[in-house]
Amino acid sequence: MKKVDFLNRKVATKNGRFRTRLKCNFSLVIICFIWATVFCSCSRNSGNTNKKSFTWDSISSLEKELFGKKYFIEELKMPSRLLYKNDKLLIIESAPRDSFVHVLDWNSLEYLFLTGAVGYGPGEMPKAWNLEGGTDPNTFWVHSLEGKLFSEYGLENVNDTKALTQVRQKEAFYLAMGITWASDSTFMTFLARGENKFVEFNIDGARLKGYGMWKGLVPGDFEDHVIADLHQGKLMGDPIAGKFIKASILRGHLEILDKKSGEIIEINGPENAIPEFQAINAGAVITSDHPLAYMDAFLGKDHVFGLYSGKTDSEIMAQGRGETNLFVFDLLGNIKTVFKLNTPIKSFTVDEERQRIFGITTDIDPGVVVFDFNL
């Protein structure tokens, strides 16, 4: 069995390949070359890759202890992910009844209201997977992996828990497992199958462009979907800055994409090793007790934060879940500090301006723990 069932199920499909037979006619060759260059750029790799790495020894002097304050919120039953936006703290409920997003005041953590109607009807979603800020300062978005829906909700209580807007995944866009806004009309994603690490779609589901290639990321001749499965994890973007991150759960590997230049910065560490795995049609099956890596990640204006585990399955069984190592990088991929948290958390979000971290605790009565930091 795989160490982490991140996607719950695999989507298996064959990638279509565009092939054209050219006759020995010079003018036809030129026309086809121009057509492919202008209209098929979406299938080619863009930019280059800059690789960086670090080890535990190289960052030992960067460690800083952070002591948090826990808040118990009675309305939270099984909180999973959270997001800070415009003085609101948004928290997804894993086992909701009628609605699945709690909205709290960022400072006092006072409970404000509940939104996000559960269901399969118009404006409803069957299950919430992840939170996104979007481009509108007054709204936020929720992705439903099960429902293949992306739904928008307001940051103010209007006594209506249904979505303001919904985007349904269809055609090639249906294969997108992680979704974040790339602009006010496009999405950046990663796919269950495909040769590119990042793929951009418009809101109508048309594929626009791919960034980075899976080939060569691990030694050996493996199918693209096997390598992609080995690097499953958290995707987050800043559509205004054109920056995106992908943090891998199964190995210490984090990537920063600059959409404008197409450059991808790969950061490997602190365990610079690839877990032993077996390639199957559905993906990669981990066959060794290898340390888990980034359980959550956050992209800020100036920094990238990665919640690192470093624990194997056997260690998790003995010590329990929850992570205390939070790596902080600049946008060039240089590690700046390692926050050692006194309270284990399973997910987090950051108010970078006020330098505050909000995390979901893993104890028997889960709540929100707040850490103040100084960078």
Side-chain angles (χ1 to χ4, degrees), residues 195-310:
E195 62 182 4
N196 294 115
K197 298 177 179 179
F198 301 86
V199 181
E200 188 174 5
F201 289 88
N202 66 19
I203 58 176
D204 295 322
R207 176 177 171 140
L208 302 178
K209 195 173 185 179
Y211 302 83
M213 309 293 285
W214 290 119
K215 284 296 183 186
L217 193 58
V218 300
D221 186 20
F222 295 102
E223 296 286 340
D224 292 324
H225 74 279
V226 173
I227 304 174
D229 193 41
L230 191 64
H231 294 84
Q232 57 184 267
K234 174 70 176 287
L235 173 71
M236 187 175 182
D238 181 344
I240 297 175
K243 300 280 188 180
F244 304 87
I245 61 167
K246 174 75 178 302
S248 302
I249 291 178
L250 299 179
R251 61 171 294 206
H253 183 86
L254 191 149
E255 298 188 328
I256 305 172
L257 166 66
D258 185 322
K259 177 186 169 184
K260 297 174 184 176
S261 67
E263 180 187 40
I264 295 177
I265 299 174
E266 291 182 5
I267 308 170
N268 292 302
E271 303 287 348
N272 287 274
I274 299 171
E276 296 178 10
F277 67 94
Q278 179 182 356
I280 61 174
N281 184 57
V285 176
I286 305 302
T287 58
S288 61
D289 199 20
H290 190 83
L292 297 179
Y294 293 103
M295 309 310 289
D296 199 4
F298 181 88
L299 172 64
K301 301 296 183 184
D302 301 307
H303 298 93
V304 174
F305 300 76
L307 183 63
Y308 187 81
S309 173

Side-chain angles (χ1 to χ4, degrees), residues 82-303:
L82 67 173
L83 176 72
Y84 166 82
K85 183 173 181 180
N86 288 359
D87 293 346
K88 299 291 195 307
L89 189 63
L90 315 167
I91 304 176
I92 288 179
E93 185 68 52
S94 295
R97 293 186 178 180
D98 299 322
S99 300
F100 48 72
V101 181
H102 304 280
V103 182
L104 283 66
D105 176 78
W106 77 277
N107 189 30
S108 64
L109 266 66
E110 175 188 356
Y111 194 89
L112 299 179
F113 63 94
L114 187 66
T115 191
V118 176
Y120 292 88
E124 299 175 340
M125 289 175 61
K127 192 173 183 180
W129 172 248
N130 198 24
L131 290 156
E132 283 291 329
T135 58
D136 188 330
N138 299 311
T139 66
F140 67 95
W141 291 76
V142 180
H143 179 216
S144 173
L145 187 64
E146 177 181 312
K148 292 296 180 179
L149 279 171
F150 210 38
S151 301
E152 183 182 28
Y153 303 92
L155 284 172
E156 299 298 330
N157 188 10
V158 293
N159 297 317
D160 186 353
T161 61
K162 291 186 177 181
L164 303 173
T165 309
Q166 289 187 306
V167 177
R168 187 174 297 277
Q169 294 177 239
K170 55 186 179 180
E171 299 178 355
F173 188 35
Y174 188 85
L175 295 178
M177 310 305 289
I179 301 176
T180 186
W181 282 101
S183 70
D184 59 1
S185 60
T186 63
F187 297 105
M188 191 66 73
T189 74
F190 66 87
L191 306 182
R193 293 204 171 213
E195 62 182 4
N196 294 115
K197 298 177 179 179
F198 301 86
V199 181
E200 188 174 5
F201 289 88
N202 66 19
I203 58 176
D204 295 322
R207 176 177 171 140
L208 302 178
K209 195 173 185 179
Y211 302 83
M213 309 293 285
W214 290 119
K215 284 296 183 186
L217 193 58
V218 300
D221 186 20
F222 295 102
E223 296 286 340
D224 292 324
H225 74 279
V226 173
I227 304 174
D229 193 41
L230 191 64
H231 294 84
Q232 57 184 267
K234 174 70 176 287
L235 173 71
M236 187 175 182
D238 181 344
I240 297 175
K243 300 280 188 180
F244 304 87
I245 61 167
K246 174 75 178 302
S248 302
I249 291 178
L250 299 179
R251 61 171 294 206
H253 183 86
L254 191 149
E255 298 188 328
I256 305 172
L257 166 66
D258 185 322
K259 177 186 169 184
K260 297 174 184 176
S261 67
E263 180 187 40
I264 295 177
I265 299 174
E266 291 182 5
I267 308 170
N268 292 302
E271 303 287 348
N272 287 274
I274 299 171
E276 296 178 10
F277 67 94
Q278 179 182 356
I280 61 174
N281 184 57
V285 176
I286 305 302
T287 58
S288 61
D289 199 20
H290 190 83
L292 297 179
Y294 293 103
M295 309 310 289
D296 199 4
F298 181 88
L299 172 64
K301 301 296 183 184
D302 301 307
H303 298 93

Side-chain angles (χ1 to χ4, degrees), residues 42-54:
C42 63
S43 65
R44 299 187 304 167
N45 184 27
S46 172
N48 56 356
T49 300
N50 183 3
K51 298 184 178 181
K52 300 195 175 186
S53 63
F54 66 97

